[in-house]
Amino acid sequence: HVDYFGVAICEEAYAIRQMGINIPIMVAEGFFTKEELLWMSAHRVDTVVHHLSQVETLISTPLKKDIRVWIKFDSGMHRLGFQQDGFLKAYRALQHCSWVKQPMTMMTHLASAAKDCDQQTRSQLNYFKEVTGSLKGPKSVGNSAAICN
């Protein structure tokens, strides 16, 4: 009864596919090896890209099936994601990669989403808008806690 699965790691996406479930899946940590990337592409699993090594692997690994990419910006949580300059460079590089489905989804995570819209959350949202506002593509900032608040 869901439209999409969001999982942390490839192994969780693999388990879902092994159960015969075919709805889209997004892996929040993305891939760490070329083999994981190839498997994700072959099994219609989206990847989050949050590190330069992932961008380099994507660009240097021709895929038979296009892959949907969520590119992560670190707006202040400081867990995963590109800083502003790296984000913009990664976005531009992946725009020209023929096996990356366009437009990519731009995303960030809120550090204190469980609190009612505090100053940190407002700052993160403003920073995300400032960096991504002129870029084409869907944007995602809300995890479950943000949606509830």
PDB file of all heavy atoms in Angstrom, residues 7-11 27-40 47-51 53-55 57-58 61 79-80:
ATOM      1  N   VAL A   7      14.969   3.120   1.905  1.00  0.00           N
ATOM      2  CA  VAL A   7      15.748   2.252   2.785  1.00  0.00           C
ATOM      3  C   VAL A   7      17.130   2.864   2.981  1.00  0.00           C
ATOM      4  O   VAL A   7      17.539   3.756   2.244  1.00  0.00           O
ATOM      5  CB  VAL A   7      15.856   0.811   2.224  1.00  0.00           C
ATOM      6  CG1 VAL A   7      14.479   0.172   2.086  1.00  0.00           C
ATOM      7  CG2 VAL A   7      16.591   0.788   0.884  1.00  0.00           C
ATOM      8  N   ALA A   8      17.849   2.371   3.971  1.00  0.00           N
ATOM      9  CA  ALA A   8      19.161   2.932   4.292  1.00  0.00           C
ATOM     10  C   ALA A   8      20.264   2.400   3.377  1.00  0.00           C
ATOM     11  O   ALA A   8      21.092   3.164   2.899  1.00  0.00           O
ATOM     12  CB  ALA A   8      19.511   2.663   5.754  1.00  0.00           C
ATOM     13  N   ILE A   9      20.282   1.085   3.149  1.00  0.00           N
ATOM     14  CA  ILE A   9      21.418   0.454   2.480  1.00  0.00           C
ATOM     15  C   ILE A   9      20.952  -0.494   1.371  1.00  0.00           C
ATOM     16  O   ILE A   9      19.799  -0.935   1.348  1.00  0.00           O
ATOM     17  CB  ILE A   9      22.311  -0.307   3.489  1.00  0.00           C
ATOM     18  CG1 ILE A   9      21.502  -1.351   4.248  1.00  0.00           C
ATOM     19  CG2 ILE A   9      22.989   0.669   4.440  1.00  0.00           C
ATOM     20  CD1 ILE A   9      22.312  -2.207   5.211  1.00  0.00           C
ATOM     21  N   CYS A  10      21.871  -0.819   0.475  1.00  0.00           N
ATOM     22  CA  CYS A  10      21.573  -1.704  -0.655  1.00  0.00           C
ATOM     23  C   CYS A  10      21.022  -3.061  -0.231  1.00  0.00           C
ATOM     24  O   CYS A  10      20.143  -3.601  -0.895  1.00  0.00           O
ATOM     25  CB  CYS A  10      22.833  -1.917  -1.502  1.00  0.00           C
ATOM     26  SG  CYS A  10      23.014  -0.708  -2.810  1.00  0.00           S
ATOM     27  N   GLU A  11      21.543  -3.604   0.842  1.00  0.00           N
ATOM     28  CA  GLU A  11      21.095  -4.922   1.285  1.00  0.00           C
ATOM     29  C   GLU A  11      19.598  -4.929   1.575  1.00  0.00           C
ATOM     30  O   GLU A  11      18.911  -5.919   1.332  1.00  0.00           O
ATOM     31  CB  GLU A  11      21.874  -5.378   2.526  1.00  0.00           C
ATOM     32  CG  GLU A  11      23.320  -5.756   2.239  1.00  0.00           C
ATOM     33  CD  GLU A  11      24.269  -4.560   2.141  1.00  0.00           C
ATOM     34  OE1 GLU A  11      23.841  -3.394   2.356  1.00  0.00           O
ATOM     35  OE2 GLU A  11      25.455  -4.776   1.822  1.00  0.00           O
ATOM     36  N   VAL A  27      17.676   4.241  -2.041  1.00  0.00           N
ATOM     37  CA  VAL A  27      18.662   3.860  -1.027  1.00  0.00           C
ATOM     38  C   VAL A  27      19.361   5.132  -0.541  1.00  0.00           C
ATOM     39  O   VAL A  27      20.087   5.785  -1.294  1.00  0.00           O
ATOM     40  CB  VAL A  27      19.687   2.847  -1.587  1.00  0.00           C
ATOM     41  CG1 VAL A  27      20.740   2.523  -0.536  1.00  0.00           C
ATOM     42  CG2 VAL A  27      18.976   1.577  -2.037  1.00  0.00           C
ATOM     43  N   ALA A  28      19.145   5.465   0.734  1.00  0.00           N
ATOM     44  CA  ALA A  28      19.596   6.740   1.293  1.00  0.00           C
ATOM     45  C   ALA A  28      21.119   6.881   1.372  1.00  0.00           C
ATOM     46  O   ALA A  28      21.636   7.985   1.255  1.00  0.00           O
ATOM     47  CB  ALA A  28      18.977   6.953   2.668  1.00  0.00           C
ATOM     48  N   GLU A  29      21.828   5.796   1.594  1.00  0.00           N
ATOM     49  CA  GLU A  29      23.291   5.890   1.617  1.00  0.00           C
ATOM     50  C   GLU A  29      23.892   5.703   0.234  1.00  0.00           C
ATOM     51  O   GLU A  29      25.092   5.867   0.048  1.00  0.00           O
ATOM     52  CB  GLU A  29      23.891   4.860   2.586  1.00  0.00           C
ATOM     53  CG  GLU A  29      23.686   5.236   4.034  1.00  0.00           C
ATOM     54  CD  GLU A  29      24.514   4.378   4.983  1.00  0.00           C
ATOM     55  OE1 GLU A  29      25.265   3.497   4.529  1.00  0.00           O
ATOM     56  OE2 GLU A  29      24.401   4.609   6.187  1.00  0.00           O
ATOM     57  N   GLY A  30      23.066   5.343  -0.728  1.00  0.00           N
ATOM     58  CA  GLY A  30      23.553   5.144  -2.082  1.00  0.00           C
ATOM     59  C   GLY A  30      24.411   3.898  -2.193  1.00  0.00           C
ATOM     60  O   GLY A  30      24.373   3.008  -1.352  1.00  0.00           O
ATOM     61  N   PHE A  31      25.187   3.859  -3.239  1.00  0.00           N
ATOM     62  CA  PHE A  31      26.058   2.711  -3.498  1.00  0.00           C
ATOM     63  C   PHE A  31      27.469   3.024  -3.013  1.00  0.00           C
ATOM     64  O   PHE A  31      27.868   4.181  -2.913  1.00  0.00           O
ATOM     65  CB  PHE A  31      26.077   2.381  -4.997  1.00  0.00           C
ATOM     66  CG  PHE A  31      26.585   3.507  -5.846  1.00  0.00           C
ATOM     67  CD1 PHE A  31      27.935   3.607  -6.146  1.00  0.00           C
ATOM     68  CD2 PHE A  31      25.727   4.485  -6.320  1.00  0.00           C
ATOM     69  CE1 PHE A  31      28.418   4.660  -6.912  1.00  0.00           C
ATOM     70  CE2 PHE A  31      26.198   5.534  -7.092  1.00  0.00           C
ATOM     71  CZ  PHE A  31      27.545   5.631  -7.381  1.00  0.00           C
ATOM     72  N   PHE A  32      28.216   1.956  -2.723  1.00  0.00           N
ATOM     73  CA  PHE A  32      29.613   2.120  -2.310  1.00  0.00           C
ATOM     74  C   PHE A  32      30.578   1.418  -3.247  1.00  0.00           C
ATOM     75  O   PHE A  32      31.777   1.643  -3.174  1.00  0.00           O
ATOM     76  CB  PHE A  32      29.807   1.629  -0.873  1.00  0.00           C
ATOM     77  CG  PHE A  32      29.142   2.542   0.124  1.00  0.00           C
ATOM     78  CD1 PHE A  32      27.893   2.231   0.624  1.00  0.00           C
ATOM     79  CD2 PHE A  32      29.742   3.718   0.523  1.00  0.00           C
ATOM     80  CE1 PHE A  32      27.271   3.077   1.522  1.00  0.00           C
ATOM     81  CE2 PHE A  32      29.128   4.577   1.421  1.00  0.00           C
ATOM     82  CZ  PHE A  32      27.885   4.248   1.925  1.00  0.00           C
ATOM     83  N   THR A  33      30.047   0.566  -4.111  1.00  0.00           N
ATOM     84  CA  THR A  33      30.894  -0.139  -5.073  1.00  0.00           C
ATOM     85  C   THR A  33      30.255  -0.071  -6.460  1.00  0.00           C
ATOM     86  O   THR A  33      29.044   0.165  -6.590  1.00  0.00           O
ATOM     87  CB  THR A  33      31.072  -1.627  -4.697  1.00  0.00           C
ATOM     88  OG1 THR A  33      29.792  -2.283  -4.827  1.00  0.00           O
ATOM     89  CG2 THR A  33      31.621  -1.797  -3.288  1.00  0.00           C
ATOM     90  N   LYS A  34      31.060  -0.312  -7.465  1.00  0.00           N
ATOM     91  CA  LYS A  34      30.567  -0.370  -8.835  1.00  0.00           C
ATOM     92  C   LYS A  34      29.532  -1.486  -8.975  1.00  0.00           C
ATOM     93  O   LYS A  34      28.522  -1.323  -9.665  1.00  0.00           O
ATOM     94  CB  LYS A  34      31.750  -0.604  -9.781  1.00  0.00           C
ATOM     95  CG  LYS A  34      31.390  -0.692 -11.229  1.00  0.00           C
ATOM     96  CD  LYS A  34      32.638  -0.901 -12.064  1.00  0.00           C
ATOM     97  CE  LYS A  34      32.293  -1.150 -13.510  1.00  0.00           C
ATOM     98  NZ  LYS A  34      33.493  -1.315 -14.338  1.00  0.00           N
ATOM     99  N   GLU A  35      29.753  -2.593  -8.292  1.00  0.00           N
ATOM    100  CA  GLU A  35      28.819  -3.731  -8.361  1.00  0.00           C
ATOM    101  C   GLU A  35      27.450  -3.349  -7.796  1.00  0.00           C
ATOM    102  O   GLU A  35      26.416  -3.736  -8.350  1.00  0.00           O
ATOM    103  CB  GLU A  35      29.402  -4.945  -7.631  1.00  0.00           C
ATOM    104  CG  GLU A  35      30.616  -5.561  -8.318  1.00  0.00           C
ATOM    105  CD  GLU A  35      31.898  -4.719  -8.208  1.00  0.00           C
ATOM    106  OE1 GLU A  35      32.061  -3.972  -7.217  1.00  0.00           O
ATOM    107  OE2 GLU A  35      32.725  -4.802  -9.135  1.00  0.00           O
ATOM    108  N   GLU A  36      27.442  -2.614  -6.697  1.00  0.00           N
ATOM    109  CA  GLU A  36      26.164  -2.156  -6.140  1.00  0.00           C
ATOM    110  C   GLU A  36      25.453  -1.229  -7.119  1.00  0.00           C
ATOM    111  O   GLU A  36      24.238  -1.333  -7.317  1.00  0.00           O
ATOM    112  CB  GLU A  36      26.366  -1.438  -4.801  1.00  0.00           C
ATOM    113  CG  GLU A  36      26.673  -2.364  -3.646  1.00  0.00           C
ATOM    114  CD  GLU A  36      26.871  -1.631  -2.331  1.00  0.00           C
ATOM    115  OE1 GLU A  36      27.163  -0.406  -2.320  1.00  0.00           O
ATOM    116  OE2 GLU A  36      26.727  -2.292  -1.283  1.00  0.00           O
ATOM    117  N   LEU A  37      26.197  -0.330  -7.747  1.00  0.00           N
ATOM    118  CA  LEU A  37      25.613   0.575  -8.734  1.00  0.00           C
ATOM    119  C   LEU A  37      24.994  -0.209  -9.889  1.00  0.00           C
ATOM    120  O   LEU A  37      23.862   0.062 -10.297  1.00  0.00           O
ATOM    121  CB  LEU A  37      26.673   1.550  -9.258  1.00  0.00           C
ATOM    122  CG  LEU A  37      26.244   2.439 -10.422  1.00  0.00           C
ATOM    123  CD1 LEU A  37      25.072   3.329 -10.051  1.00  0.00           C
ATOM    124  CD2 LEU A  37      27.436   3.256 -10.922  1.00  0.00           C
ATOM    125  N   LEU A  38      25.710  -1.184 -10.412  1.00  0.00           N
ATOM    126  CA  LEU A  38      25.200  -1.987 -11.523  1.00  0.00           C
ATOM    127  C   LEU A  38      23.929  -2.739 -11.112  1.00  0.00           C
ATOM    128  O   LEU A  38      22.958  -2.797 -11.870  1.00  0.00           O
ATOM    129  CB  LEU A  38      26.274  -2.966 -12.001  1.00  0.00           C
ATOM    130  CG  LEU A  38      27.477  -2.316 -12.688  1.00  0.00           C
ATOM    131  CD1 LEU A  38      28.613  -3.328 -12.860  1.00  0.00           C
ATOM    132  CD2 LEU A  38      27.082  -1.699 -14.020  1.00  0.00           C
ATOM    133  N   TRP A  39      23.923  -3.288  -9.896  1.00  0.00           N
ATOM    134  CA  TRP A  39      22.737  -4.003  -9.408  1.00  0.00           C
ATOM    135  C   TRP A  39      21.561  -3.040  -9.266  1.00  0.00           C
ATOM    136  O   TRP A  39      20.437  -3.352  -9.675  1.00  0.00           O
ATOM    137  CB  TRP A  39      23.031  -4.695  -8.060  1.00  0.00           C
ATOM    138  CG  TRP A  39      21.829  -5.445  -7.581  1.00  0.00           C
ATOM    139  CD1 TRP A  39      21.482  -6.720  -7.905  1.00  0.00           C
ATOM    140  CD2 TRP A  39      20.787  -4.944  -6.740  1.00  0.00           C
ATOM    141  NE1 TRP A  39      20.278  -7.051  -7.311  1.00  0.00           N
ATOM    142  CE2 TRP A  39      19.839  -5.970  -6.595  1.00  0.00           C
ATOM    143  CE3 TRP A  39      20.552  -3.730  -6.105  1.00  0.00           C
ATOM    144  CZ2 TRP A  39      18.678  -5.819  -5.831  1.00  0.00           C
ATOM    145  CZ3 TRP A  39      19.401  -3.572  -5.344  1.00  0.00           C
ATOM    146  CH2 TRP A  39      18.475  -4.609  -5.222  1.00  0.00           C
ATOM    147  N   MET A  40      21.802  -1.861  -8.704  1.00  0.00           N
ATOM    148  CA  MET A  40      20.730  -0.884  -8.514  1.00  0.00           C
ATOM    149  C   MET A  40      20.115  -0.491  -9.856  1.00  0.00           C
ATOM    150  O   MET A  40      18.889  -0.433  -9.990  1.00  0.00           O
ATOM    151  CB  MET A  40      21.258   0.350  -7.773  1.00  0.00           C
ATOM    152  CG  MET A  40      21.633   0.059  -6.333  1.00  0.00           C
ATOM    153  SD  MET A  40      22.492   1.438  -5.538  1.00  0.00           S
ATOM    154  CE  MET A  40      21.088   2.385  -4.958  1.00  0.00           C
ATOM    155  N   THR A  47      19.341   5.790  -6.353  1.00  0.00           N
ATOM    156  CA  THR A  47      20.473   5.990  -5.465  1.00  0.00           C
ATOM    157  C   THR A  47      20.563   7.436  -5.010  1.00  0.00           C
ATOM    158  O   THR A  47      20.299   8.353  -5.789  1.00  0.00           O
ATOM    159  CB  THR A  47      21.806   5.580  -6.125  1.00  0.00           C
ATOM    160  OG1 THR A  47      22.845   5.682  -5.150  1.00  0.00           O
ATOM    161  CG2 THR A  47      22.144   6.437  -7.325  1.00  0.00           C
ATOM    162  N   VAL A  48      20.912   7.620  -3.756  1.00  0.00           N
ATOM    163  CA  VAL A  48      21.301   8.936  -3.277  1.00  0.00           C
ATOM    164  C   VAL A  48      22.796   9.060  -3.529  1.00  0.00           C
ATOM    165  O   VAL A  48      23.553   8.112  -3.345  1.00  0.00           O
ATOM    166  CB  VAL A  48      20.982   9.112  -1.777  1.00  0.00           C
ATOM    167  CG1 VAL A  48      21.590  10.397  -1.232  1.00  0.00           C
ATOM    168  CG2 VAL A  48      19.473   9.101  -1.561  1.00  0.00           C
ATOM    169  N   VAL A  49      23.201  10.232  -4.003  1.00  0.00           N
ATOM    170  CA  VAL A  49      24.611  10.525  -4.224  1.00  0.00           C
ATOM    171  C   VAL A  49      24.974  11.637  -3.257  1.00  0.00           C
ATOM    172  O   VAL A  49      24.353  12.702  -3.268  1.00  0.00           O
ATOM    173  CB  VAL A  49      24.852  10.946  -5.691  1.00  0.00           C
ATOM    174  CG1 VAL A  49      26.260  11.447  -5.895  1.00  0.00           C
ATOM    175  CG2 VAL A  49      24.556   9.782  -6.625  1.00  0.00           C
ATOM    176  N   HIS A  50      25.957  11.365  -2.401  1.00  0.00           N
ATOM    177  CA  HIS A  50      26.316  12.329  -1.363  1.00  0.00           C
ATOM    178  C   HIS A  50      27.817  12.540  -1.244  1.00  0.00           C
ATOM    179  O   HIS A  50      28.276  13.285  -0.385  1.00  0.00           O
ATOM    180  CB  HIS A  50      25.764  11.891  -0.006  1.00  0.00           C
ATOM    181  CG  HIS A  50      26.202  10.519   0.406  1.00  0.00           C
ATOM    182  ND1 HIS A  50      27.396  10.280   1.034  1.00  0.00           N
ATOM    183  CD2 HIS A  50      25.595   9.321   0.254  1.00  0.00           C
ATOM    184  CE1 HIS A  50      27.509   8.976   1.260  1.00  0.00           C
ATOM    185  NE2 HIS A  50      26.435   8.377   0.794  1.00  0.00           N
ATOM    186  N   HIS A  51      28.590  11.902  -2.126  1.00  0.00           N
ATOM    187  CA  HIS A  51      30.050  11.973  -2.028  1.00  0.00           C
ATOM    188  C   HIS A  51      30.650  11.985  -3.436  1.00  0.00           C
ATOM    189  O   HIS A  51      30.126  11.348  -4.358  1.00  0.00           O
ATOM    190  CB  HIS A  51      30.569  10.757  -1.245  1.00  0.00           C
ATOM    191  CG  HIS A  51      31.995  10.875  -0.852  1.00  0.00           C
ATOM    192  ND1 HIS A  51      33.013  10.470  -1.668  1.00  0.00           N
ATOM    193  CD2 HIS A  51      32.564  11.374   0.268  1.00  0.00           C
ATOM    194  CE1 HIS A  51      34.170  10.702  -1.053  1.00  0.00           C
ATOM    195  NE2 HIS A  51      33.921  11.256   0.116  1.00  0.00           N
ATOM    196  N   SER A  53      33.171  10.468  -4.665  1.00  0.00           N
ATOM    197  CA  SER A  53      33.527   9.151  -5.207  1.00  0.00           C
ATOM    198  C   SER A  53      32.327   8.504  -5.904  1.00  0.00           C
ATOM    199  O   SER A  53      32.494   7.792  -6.901  1.00  0.00           O
ATOM    200  CB  SER A  53      34.055   8.234  -4.099  1.00  0.00           C
ATOM    201  OG  SER A  53      33.052   7.960  -3.151  1.00  0.00           O
ATOM    202  N   GLN A  54      31.112   8.761  -5.423  1.00  0.00           N
ATOM    203  CA  GLN A  54      29.922   8.223  -6.069  1.00  0.00           C
ATOM    204  C   GLN A  54      29.704   8.890  -7.437  1.00  0.00           C
ATOM    205  O   GLN A  54      29.343   8.220  -8.401  1.00  0.00           O
ATOM    206  CB  GLN A  54      28.692   8.414  -5.177  1.00  0.00           C
ATOM    207  CG  GLN A  54      28.741   7.564  -3.921  1.00  0.00           C
ATOM    208  CD  GLN A  54      27.649   7.933  -2.941  1.00  0.00           C
ATOM    209  OE1 GLN A  54      27.437   9.111  -2.646  1.00  0.00           O
ATOM    210  NE2 GLN A  54      26.958   6.918  -2.437  1.00  0.00           N
ATOM    211  N   VAL A  55      29.925  10.182  -7.496  1.00  0.00           N
ATOM    212  CA  VAL A  55      29.802  10.903  -8.771  1.00  0.00           C
ATOM    213  C   VAL A  55      30.802  10.341  -9.773  1.00  0.00           C
ATOM    214  O   VAL A  55      30.457  10.039 -10.922  1.00  0.00           O
ATOM    215  CB  VAL A  55      30.010  12.419  -8.575  1.00  0.00           C
ATOM    216  CG1 VAL A  55      30.030  13.145  -9.917  1.00  0.00           C
ATOM    217  CG2 VAL A  55      28.943  12.998  -7.657  1.00  0.00           C
ATOM    218  N   THR A  57      32.249   7.380  -9.815  1.00  0.00           N
ATOM    219  CA  THR A  57      31.864   6.023 -10.205  1.00  0.00           C
ATOM    220  C   THR A  57      30.702   6.047 -11.189  1.00  0.00           C
ATOM    221  O   THR A  57      30.708   5.316 -12.188  1.00  0.00           O
ATOM    222  CB  THR A  57      31.514   5.174  -8.973  1.00  0.00           C
ATOM    223  OG1 THR A  57      32.653   5.117  -8.107  1.00  0.00           O
ATOM    224  CG2 THR A  57      31.093   3.760  -9.352  1.00  0.00           C
ATOM    225  N   LEU A  58      29.713   6.881 -10.928  1.00  0.00           N
ATOM    226  CA  LEU A  58      28.561   6.985 -11.832  1.00  0.00           C
ATOM    227  C   LEU A  58      28.987   7.402 -13.236  1.00  0.00           C
ATOM    228  O   LEU A  58      28.562   6.809 -14.231  1.00  0.00           O
ATOM    229  CB  LEU A  58      27.578   8.015 -11.290  1.00  0.00           C
ATOM    230  CG  LEU A  58      26.261   7.500 -10.741  1.00  0.00           C
ATOM    231  CD1 LEU A  58      25.499   8.597 -10.035  1.00  0.00           C
ATOM    232  CD2 LEU A  58      25.419   6.841 -11.797  1.00  0.00           C
ATOM    233  N   THR A  61      31.016   4.588 -15.132  1.00  0.00           N
ATOM    234  CA  THR A  61      30.406   3.266 -15.255  1.00  0.00           C
ATOM    235  C   THR A  61      29.178   3.331 -16.157  1.00  0.00           C
ATOM    236  O   THR A  61      28.073   3.608 -15.691  1.00  0.00           O
ATOM    237  CB  THR A  61      29.995   2.717 -13.868  1.00  0.00           C
ATOM    238  OG1 THR A  61      31.114   2.788 -12.986  1.00  0.00           O
ATOM    239  CG2 THR A  61      29.497   1.284 -13.967  1.00  0.00           C
ATOM    240  N   ARG A  79      25.676  15.039   8.386  1.00  0.00           N
ATOM    241  CA  ARG A  79      25.836  13.587   8.385  1.00  0.00           C
ATOM    242  C   ARG A  79      26.308  13.117   7.021  1.00  0.00           C
ATOM    243  O   ARG A  79      27.366  12.552   6.891  1.00  0.00           O
ATOM    244  CB  ARG A  79      24.531  12.886   8.752  1.00  0.00           C
ATOM    245  CG  ARG A  79      24.776  11.412   9.015  1.00  0.00           C
ATOM    246  CD  ARG A  79      23.566  10.597   9.330  1.00  0.00           C
ATOM    247  NE  ARG A  79      22.601  11.226  10.208  1.00  0.00           N
ATOM    248  CZ  ARG A  79      21.353  10.812  10.328  1.00  0.00           C
ATOM    249  NH1 ARG A  79      20.919   9.789   9.641  1.00  0.00           N
ATOM    250  NH2 ARG A  79      20.523  11.418  11.140  1.00  0.00           N
ATOM    251  N   LEU A  80      25.520  13.360   6.012  1.00  0.00           N
ATOM    252  CA  LEU A  80      25.877  13.012   4.638  1.00  0.00           C
ATOM    253  C   LEU A  80      25.487  14.174   3.740  1.00  0.00           C
ATOM    254  O   LEU A  80      24.553  14.910   4.034  1.00  0.00           O
ATOM    255  CB  LEU A  80      25.130  11.756   4.170  1.00  0.00           C
ATOM    256  CG  LEU A  80      25.415  10.441   4.877  1.00  0.00           C
ATOM    257  CD1 LEU A  80      24.466   9.361   4.368  1.00  0.00           C
ATOM    258  CD2 LEU A  80      26.850  10.015   4.691  1.00  0.00           C
TER     259      LEU A  80
END
